[in-house]
Amino acid sequence: MKDHADEILRRGQYSDAVLSELESQNDDQVEGMSAKVKMLKDITIAIGDEIRDSSKLADKMNDSFDNTRVRLKGTMNRMLRMAERTGVGWKVWLGFFAAVIFLFWYVWLF
């Protein structure tokens, strides 16, 4: 019976060389995984930086569009007042400006 127990223990045990090799492979795999985790961390940080930069740019663009909207509204109001003073309707002025823009466009292209 004792011989049978010794046989079972010997089958489950590994030599020091095998254990050392397994430990070495384990260490190599851990190093590989650590490198991949570091790479993922760097990518995540870069994505976060890009999102912050994009958000800042979007905010600046939004402010610029708001300023442009206010300026255009003021310009339109001044045009309407000018049209009222001259007695010519705003549609005529709009047609005049469209014709001038078309003329510049025609000269520029041809």
Side-chain angles (χ1 to χ4, degrees):
M1 184 77 160
K2 184 171 179 156
D3 291 335
H4 184 64
D6 289 340
E7 182 73 25
I8 291 173
L9 285 176
R10 274 188 250 139
R11 287 184 192 166
Q13 294 178 347
Y14 294 102
S15 68
D16 288 339
V18 171
L19 290 175
S20 177
E21 178 62 27
L22 289 173
E23 189 67 29
S24 174
Q25 288 176 4
N26 227 7
D27 290 342
D28 291 343
Q29 289 180 357
V30 167
E31 287 176 18
M33 288 177 63
S34 296
K36 289 177 182 178
V37 167
K38 183 184 181 327
M39 183 176 27
L40 285 174
K41 181 181 175 185
D42 293 343
I43 290 171
T44 304
I45 289 171
I47 289 171
D49 292 343
E50 183 66 29
I51 289 171
R52 278 188 287 282
D53 292 344
S54 296
S55 294
K56 288 178 186 176
L57 178 62
D59 289 341
K60 287 180 183 178
M61 287 176 61
N62 191 26
D63 292 342
S64 295
F65 285 135
D66 284 342
N67 291 337
T68 303
R69 182 184 56 82
V70 168
R71 287 182 184 172
L72 285 175
K73 186 176 180 183
T75 302
M76 185 64 178
N77 287 337
R78 285 192 298 272
M79 277 182 43
L80 289 174
R81 277 187 266 138
M82 181 182 69
E84 287 174 3
R85 287 187 203 142
T86 59
V88 179
W90 67 272
K91 291 178 184 175
V92 174
W93 282 108
L94 185 62
F96 172 74
F97 286 122
V100 169
I101 290 171
F102 177 74
L103 180 66
F104 282 128
W105 177 75
Y106 182 78
V107 169
W108 181 60
L109 287 179
F110 303 106

